[in-house]
Amino acid sequence: MPLGQAVVDLLPLLQGQCSFKVSAPLYAVPTSPLESLQPEAKGGLEVTVCTEEPLLSASQLSNGNLLSVTLEAAYSAPEAFAPSGPLQNYMACLQVPAAGEKEVPLLFKNGILKPAGEKEPLPRPKKWPLANVMAPGALSIPNSFIVGGPYEDEDGELNKREDREFRIQAESTKRIVWDMERRCYLDPAAVAILQKRIAECRYWPVEVCRMPVASPSKGKTSKADKGDEDKQIFFHGVAYVNMVPLLCPGVKQIRGAFRVFTYQDSEVFEKTKSQHSVFRDLRSQLSLTKEGSWTPGISTPLSRAVPSKSQKEDKEKITKEKDSNRKTSSVPKIQLSDATVEAENVTYLSLDGQQYVEAGTFLVMEIKLDKALVPKRSREELTGRVKQMIPPRPPLPPRTAGAKKAVEGYHSHVTSIAVAILSEYHELFGKRLPDRGAIDHQTLEEQKRQLNFELNSSGKYFAFKEQLKYAVVKIVREKYLKTTAFETQEQFQAFLSELYVYLVDQMHVALNQLLSEEAASPAPLSRTTREQLWLFAREAEVNKDYKLASLYHQQRVAQDQRNIQCWLDYGAFCLLLEETTKAQECFQQALSLDPHHIQSLLLCGVGAVSLQHYEEAELFFEDACCLEPSNIVAWTLSGLFYELQNNNIQAEMAFREAKKLLQAQLAKERSIPEAAEGKKHISAVCVSSPSPGPEECLPERVADGSADKVPEAVEPALACAAPEEEATAPEAAPKAPASVSGVSRPPCTIFMKAVEFLMKVNAIQFVHMALAHELLSPPGGPSCAYYLALAQTSLLKEDFSKCEECLCEAVRIDYVNPNVWAQKGHLCYLKRDFGEAKECYERTISFVEDAADMHFVYLRLGSIYLEEKEYGRAKQTYLLACKNSASCLTWLGVGIACYRLDEMAEAEDALSEANALNNTNAEVWAYLALICLQGGRQLEAEQCYKYVVKLGLRNAALLRELRAAQQRFGFGDPAF
């Protein structure tokens, strides 16, 4: 006679352990002597579990996963569910991939129907889905509890504020409770299949039903009854669980409430692509034993489903109503066919399932993974001061300026000139002692006339005037902030009158003072690198400030006129502006520096086609193919050119050569012995491939349609992971489940290689030609990269609707591609849908792999945070941008966030660094002026404000804030 029972969790064996020891509490079996003892007297068992070798290999541990599904309860149960009457088995089931394509059903049986009353307690233990547990206490899983949580934090349905009251009421009404957890190990292939199926179809069906438990006293049923039973699944419903959150980076579980609907094959297939019911497949296994009693909450073998008395009565009632309707109808009674009977049976079953909808039934369940399907990047803590991230720079020499200093300079010049004139007077007339009396007026006039003649004839008057002119100009600029021409002559005359009065007054003041001024040492010239200038140019392009972008490109060229990449970048920028002639001049200048440079040859060919100089274009493309016969992009562009010329034979030859080269390249890549990679491919456990290097990635466009650039070392011929139809080598590696990871590289064709090169240089005409071929090439349809490139070209024309369609297709194909989400964020940002843009950008930066244009993702996400006054998050985002690629705009963002957080020291450090990178940004000067006002530094505040006015600050709100601060502090504007 069994006295007690203990249960040991063997999960550590699936986590890589070979042995472990556990102390399992001993629970009493009903009717045993132990049941009368106190809980602390029941004792426990110390169990040691050992295996000779790990159950899973290192590869399976690292690439596999553990799925656990907890079904808590079904709330707001239909009225037809009654605790009294025949015993019923309440079941739920869903299917998950366990070994590749093979699916395993996770069946939850023996739900307990509870009447309305108190809520289920929280926390409460989860239960084992075991059928051989005799002690009820042993059903609880150690250290595993259902803890619940706020409805608003759930991932399912009914989590809105308006659903809260319904949820609270439903938890106190009639419900079916399982509190059961089932686990399933997913091998690497199954993980890939799971990820792929979630991406293809977001909803997974969880079926529920009620099956009667046969009474042992009823005996055997007839064959006819058995056949009828086999056809019927009573109260068949389905809940649709949205699994897409599991594809978000770092997400390992979803928990929530999911409404139960009537199970209808067509609707289930439409939503989940599931072609048949799992209960129908398992019908033969759902039979309930007719020997022994069945206790709710304790799993026992199931017997065949027999309609209960209440269900038969319901069916008879429905039949009588139909007969009554037929009698009142004028349609003559006819013999029913088998199809009609089947239809009636389906109608009866759907009426059963319809009760779930009428009652508002919903399941509460949790789906949890041991490891996230899409890993999330681990962000390093940016807790250091801003100053520590700024590269060391030589200190600028102190240089004072401003209205006050200009006036002091004027005083100094007036004083020095007065002293010089007095010296001239003494030389002419000598020093007159005070005791000699006053000079009469006529003598003074004569001396004045002689002094003026001497000063004019000697040229000293002109020298004094030139000396004083500089001081007057400084007053006009610093005091009156006049740096541009006057619009009318009247304004000019009025200003001269005002200036004259002011200068005379200050001259009278200066004659009684003696001041000196040390000359300020000149500031060292700031020299930015080519890489910084290119980044500044890209930022200007994104902000559509093409004049400033052109200036930066010209500065790059001026720094090193023999740098080929500078000329190519400038030419690509000119193609963006559709200045084809100027672009061709840049490409030809680059080619003149190196006649064997393949990129220059190809771009000269592209430019010649745009200018309709077809003979020149053919020459450039032929030279490129002859100089580098192994260049796939060169042959592909040649083929596109010949096709444009209707030279189909030459085009076909060029495409064939490009495909042959691609096949050879891929075969060579696969032949490189890499032990780790080889194991992954042989066992088909690779869920996501490593990040492609810079030479393998297509630099994505930013949302304004301008092409992103990569460093000069990047080659145009890019490597891909697997070929398409024209470059397939099926014998090279066994087939593995297709990965949907955002970092995995899609199969590549010669045309997508060409698109990668052409997108970087804004050759949109050739891009469309290549995409047209790509649309017809892949056997499985266009790739994610195809739709992404098409979306970028749509943004060039500001065709937002077309871009959105393409991005929707790209998301459908590769849900975890960071480039797709970044591009979607740019689209929403340009449409001023900042809420959606923020979600897309946050998802982008949460991926382990960076998008191609992370700099602009950080900039725009930071600006959204500033707009929403989330200054702490804005600061962290801009600091990430500074770490990746610092620029004036990134440090400006840090400075603004720190200023709003009242971190004045860090704000000034950041803004000073922004000013060092670009001293022509009016916003930087404005925030520096605000900081100087806060610190009571009048001279520096006036100097900053001078540049704010001179550079023309366009931010009206910031200008109003600055002027209000000047009014509040009483200084900062020299005009006061």
Side-chain angles (χ1 to χ4, degrees):
M1 174 181 179
L3 298 179
Q5 210 171 28
V7 179
V8 177
D9 192 350
L10 300 179
L11 182 62
L13 296 180
L14 285 180
Q15 295 173 338
Q17 299 185 27
C18 293
S19 65
F20 65 94
K21 183 184 292 185
V22 64
S23 180
L26 189 63
Y27 297 97
V29 174
T31 71
S32 72
L34 283 179
E35 194 174 17
S36 61
L37 298 178
Q38 295 297 324
E40 60 271 11
K42 294 180 182 179
L45 299 178
E46 189 172 272
V47 182
T48 302
V49 182
C50 300
T51 60
E52 294 183 359
E53 58 184 20
L55 297 184
L56 300 176
S57 65
S59 175
Q60 290 173 321
L61 273 176
S62 60
N63 297 307
N65 214 328
L66 183 68
L67 173 70
S68 61
V69 180
T70 302
L71 181 60
E72 299 179 17
Y75 293 101
S76 188
E79 290 295 329
F81 291 3
S84 60
L87 293 178
Q88 304 288 339
N89 192 352
Y90 299 94
M91 295 179 285
C93 188
L94 75 158
Q95 285 185 317
V96 295
E101 296 287 345
K102 182 180 178 182
E103 290 190 337
V104 171
L106 298 183
L107 182 63
F108 298 85
K109 301 184 293 186
N110 304 329
I112 302 174
L113 179 64
K114 294 187 177 182
E118 295 184 359
K119 293 183 177 181
E120 295 297 313
L122 289 174
R124 60 184 186 273
K126 297 180 181 179
K127 297 178 181 178
W128 294 106
L130 302 177
N132 56 352
V133 177
M134 294 180 291
L139 277 172
S140 298
I141 303 176
N143 303 318
S144 184
F145 299 93
I146 297 171
V147 295
Y151 302 134
E152 294 79 7
D153 296 341
E154 294 179 351
D155 301 294
E157 308 164 32
L158 300 173
N159 54 2
K160 304 294 188 297
R161 184 176 300 177
E162 56 268 22
D163 301 320
R164 180 179 180 82
E165 184 177 353
F166 170 70
R167 289 284 299 271
I168 294 174
Q169 292 177 355
E171 290 176 0
S172 303
T173 58
K174 189 189 306 181
R175 58 198 178 276
I176 305 167
V177 180
W178 285 273
D179 289 345
M180 189 180 298
E181 179 182 87
R182 294 195 69 100
R183 301 168 180 170
C184 178
Y185 169 72
L186 306 179
D187 65 8
V191 172
I193 291 295
L194 175 66
Q195 198 171 351
K196 177 183 177 183
R197 290 187 181 173
I198 293 176
E200 291 176 348
C201 186
R202 63 173 57 202
Y203 294 107
W204 281 43
V206 178
E207 299 181 37
V208 294
C209 73
R210 186 182 82 169
M211 300 293 286
V213 179
S215 172
S217 61
K218 286 190 175 181
K220 298 183 179 180
T221 56
S222 64
K223 292 184 179 180
D225 290 338
K226 289 182 180 180
D228 187 60
E229 292 163 13
D230 288 341
K231 293 181 181 179
Q232 295 181 4
I233 300 175
F234 298 103
F235 292 94
H236 195 183
V238 61
Y240 300 105
V241 179
N242 186 1
M243 303 281 280
V244 168
L246 291 178
L247 293 184
C248 295
V251 175
K252 295 191 289 187
Q253 71 173 25
I254 55 176
R255 180 186 179 275
F258 304 93
R259 295 181 185 273
V260 180
F261 300 91
T262 307
Y263 187 95
Q264 295 181 350
D265 289 331
S266 59
E267 183 180 353
V268 173
F269 177 75
E270 180 183 354
K271 287 190 174 183
T272 69
K273 302 299 185 289
S274 179
Q275 298 182 352
H276 46 77
S277 166
V278 62
F279 278 141
R280 290 172 188 161
D281 294 342
L282 298 176
R283 192 159 39 197
S284 60
Q285 304 175 26
L286 298 180
S287 60
L288 300 175
T289 182
K290 299 179 184 180
E291 298 179 2
S293 60
W294 175 82
T295 304
I298 300 180
S299 295
T300 58
L302 300 179
S303 67
R304 284 195 177 272
V306 178
S308 65
K309 182 178 180 182
S310 61
Q311 288 171 331
K312 287 182 178 180
E313 291 174 353
D314 290 342
K315 188 171 181 180
E316 289 174 1
K317 184 178 178 181
I318 294 173
T319 306
K320 288 179 181 179
E321 290 177 355
K322 291 181 178 179
D323 291 341
S324 176
N325 292 336
R326 290 194 190 100
K327 289 178 182 179
T328 56
S329 173
S330 59
V331 179
K333 186 175 180 180
I334 60 174
Q335 184 68 29
L336 296 177
S337 64
D338 293 339
T340 308
V341 174
E342 181 68 19
E344 288 184 4
N345 190 36
V346 172
T347 302
Y348 165 69
L349 295 178
S350 63
L351 288 175
D352 271 355
Q354 183 65 23
Q355 296 189 40
Y356 290 120
V357 180
E358 295 171 356
T361 306
F362 61 91
L363 295 178
V364 177
M365 61 188 303
E366 176 190 71
I367 299 175
K368 185 176 181 180
L369 292 164
D370 186 52
K371 293 176 291 188
L373 292 177
V374 182
K376 186 175 183 178
R377 94 170 57 234
S378 56
R379 296 242 175 245
E380 70 176 89
E381 296 295 330
L382 297 172
T383 56
R385 285 175 57 85
V386 177
K387 204 168 192 176
Q388 297 174 354
M389 296 186 61
I390 299 176
R393 296 180 181 275
L396 294 173
R399 183 175 181 178
T400 57
K404 183 178 179 181
K405 196 65 181 178
V407 174
E408 291 174 354
Y410 175 72
H411 290 171
S412 177
H413 283 84
V414 168
T415 302
S416 63
I417 292 173
V419 170
I421 294 175
L422 184 59
S423 299
E424 289 291 329
Y425 177 85
H426 289 162
E427 289 181 8
L428 287 176
F429 308 107
K431 292 186 179 181
R432 185 177 179 86
L433 298 177
D435 58 355
R436 294 179 61 181
I439 303 176
D440 61 88
H441 179 71
Q442 185 175 0
T443 304
L444 284 177
E445 287 295 327
E446 180 62 24
Q447 290 179 353
K448 178 180 177 182
R449 185 186 62 79
Q450 292 182 24
L451 179 62
N452 285 336
F453 175 79
E454 180 64 25
L455 292 177
N456 280 286
S457 61
S458 63
K460 292 180 180 180
Y461 175 81
F462 179 77
F464 292 151
K465 187 175 69 171
E466 288 298 315
Q467 182 182 352
L468 194 60
K469 182 169 69 174
Y470 175 76
V472 174
V473 170
K474 291 290 289 181
I475 287 180
V476 171
R477 289 180 176 177
E478 302 292 342
K479 176 69 178 176
Y480 293 94
L481 305 179
K482 297 295 184 181
T483 57
T484 58
F486 291 90
E487 295 181 358
T488 63
Q489 188 67 21
E490 290 77 8
Q491 290 180 354
F492 180 57
Q493 291 298 330
F495 173 72
L496 286 180
S497 300
E498 180 183 357
L499 178 64
Y500 178 77
V501 172
Y502 179 79
L503 292 176
V504 170
D505 291 341
Q506 293 301 317
M507 181 189 68
H508 292 155
V509 174
L511 291 176
N512 297 318
Q513 298 175 353
L514 184 60
L515 300 175
S516 63
E517 180 184 29
E518 296 182 359
S521 57
L525 293 176
S526 174
R527 181 175 177 83
T528 52
T529 64
R530 290 198 306 271
E531 291 74 17
Q532 287 177 318
L533 287 173
W534 175 82
L535 179 61
F536 301 163
R538 288 287 299 116
E539 289 178 337
E541 289 176 23
V542 172
N543 295 327
K544 297 189 182 297
D545 191 348
Y546 297 125
K547 183 178 180 180
L548 181 60
S550 178
L551 177 63
Y552 283 130
H553 280 295
Q554 291 169 8
Q555 289 180 9
R556 275 188 93 207
V557 171
Q559 276 191 8
D560 187 0
Q561 296 189 11
R562 299 195 61 80
N563 187 287
I564 295 176
Q565 193 63 43
C566 293
W567 286 106
L568 294 183
D569 292 341
Y570 191 19
F573 170 72
C574 293
L575 280 184
L576 175 66
L577 302 184
E578 297 182 354
E579 297 178 357
T580 311
T581 303
K582 196 171 184 179
Q584 185 70 348
E585 292 175 357
C586 295
F587 297 148
Q588 291 177 351
Q589 181 65 29
L591 188 61
S592 68
L593 297 173
D594 183 3
H596 302 292
H597 193 254
I598 300 301
Q599 290 188 45
S600 301
L601 280 169
L602 293 177
L603 290 177
C604 283
V606 170
V609 171
S610 300
L611 295 172
Q612 299 183 359
H613 299 165
Y614 298 118
E615 292 183 1
E616 294 181 12
E618 184 174 7
L619 180 63
F620 288 130
F621 287 130
E622 285 184 359
D623 284 351
C625 293
C626 292
L627 285 172
E628 193 173 327
S630 61
N631 192 301
I632 299 173
V633 174
W635 285 106
T636 307
L637 293 185
S638 296
L640 294 174
F641 167 73
Y642 286 125
E643 187 177 61
L644 186 65
Q645 296 295 103
N646 294 323
N647 190 340
N648 296 327
I649 297 177
Q650 287 280 67
E652 185 178 351
M653 184 274 295
F655 290 149
R656 189 186 303 113
E657 183 66 22
K659 293 173 185 178
K660 185 174 73 173
L661 291 170
L662 180 60
Q663 287 179 339
Q665 178 182 339
L666 294 168
K668 182 179 179 181
E669 290 174 359
R670 285 192 291 264
S671 67
I672 299 175
E674 295 182 6
E677 290 293 326
K679 288 182 181 179
K680 289 180 182 178
H681 287 296
I682 293 171
S683 57
V685 298
C686 180
V687 179
S688 63
S689 64
S691 169
E695 72 278 3
E696 297 170 312
C697 262
L698 168 63
E700 302 291 342
R701 287 182 177 275
V702 187
D704 67 333
S706 57
D708 202 355
K709 281 295 299 174
V710 293
E712 300 167 14
V714 177
E715 295 294 333
L718 309 176
C720 288
E724 284 286 2
E725 183 181 12
E726 70 273 15
T728 305
E731 71 281 359
K735 291 184 179 180
S739 170
V740 295
S741 172
V743 298
S744 63
R745 289 165 290 177
C748 188
T749 66
I750 61 172
F751 302 108
M752 287 312 300
K753 281 183 170 290
V755 169
E756 290 171 354
F757 171 73
L758 295 167
M759 290 294 291
K760 292 187 293 184
V761 296
N762 303 315
I764 304 304
Q765 179 184 4
F766 273 81
V767 168
H768 286 301
M769 294 167 61
L771 289 178
H773 277 277
E774 178 66 15
L775 184 61
L776 304 175
S777 294
S783 64
C784 176
Y786 166 84
Y787 285 112
L788 195 56
L790 194 57
Q792 292 162 358
T793 58
S794 298
L795 279 185
L796 280 178
K797 301 179 292 185
E798 297 186 352
D799 189 350
F800 292 157
S801 60
K802 177 66 175 177
C803 178
E804 188 171 5
E805 293 175 7
C806 296
L807 289 176
C808 287
E809 289 297 319
V811 168
R812 181 186 61 81
I813 296 173
D814 193 350
Y815 192 84
V816 292
N817 188 326
N819 289 316
V820 176
W821 288 104
Q823 194 69 21
K824 188 174 181 181
H826 295 324
L827 172 64
C828 296
Y829 187 90
L830 291 180
K831 293 168 64 178
R832 306 193 66 79
D833 185 358
F834 297 125
E836 183 69 20
K838 175 182 172 183
E839 293 181 6
C840 294
Y841 288 146
E842 288 176 341
R843 182 184 291 258
T844 302
I845 65 176
S846 67
F847 285 109
V848 174
E849 296 299 321
D850 282 337
D853 56 348
M854 287 301 294
H855 182 78
F856 299 99
V857 171
Y858 287 135
L859 282 180
R860 286 176 168 172
L861 179 59
S863 69
I864 294 174
Y865 284 146
L866 288 179
E867 188 69 24
E868 296 180 353
K869 300 184 179 180
E870 298 183 44
Y871 301 123
R873 301 180 74 177
K875 176 183 175 182
Q876 295 299 319
T877 303
Y878 279 118
L879 282 175
L880 287 172
C882 292
K883 180 183 176 182
N884 287 353
S885 49
S887 70
C888 173
L889 296 184
T890 60
W891 284 115
L892 172 60
V894 176
I896 295 173
C898 292
Y899 176 77
R900 300 304 180 190
L901 293 170
D902 289 331
E903 299 171 358
M904 294 302 171
E906 291 192 355
E908 185 170 2
D909 290 339
L911 292 168
S912 298
E913 179 65 14
N915 203 7
L917 293 172
N918 179 13
N919 61 3
T920 61
N921 189 300
E923 281 199 34
V924 175
W925 287 109
Y927 279 101
L928 283 171
L930 286 170
I931 291 175
C932 293
L933 288 172
Q934 296 278 357
R937 292 139 63 183
Q938 179 177 352
L939 182 63
E940 294 170 77
E942 290 181 354
Q943 180 183 13
C944 294
Y945 180 66
K946 174 190 70 175
Y947 286 108
V948 170
V949 176
K950 182 177 180 179
L951 296 171
L953 179 63
R954 299 177 182 176
N955 190 333
L958 180 58
L959 186 58
R960 287 194 299 270
E961 180 182 1
L962 177 57
R963 287 175 174 167
Q966 291 171 343
Q967 293 285 347
R968 187 168 65 255
F969 289 104
F971 63 90
D973 186 349
F976 287 168

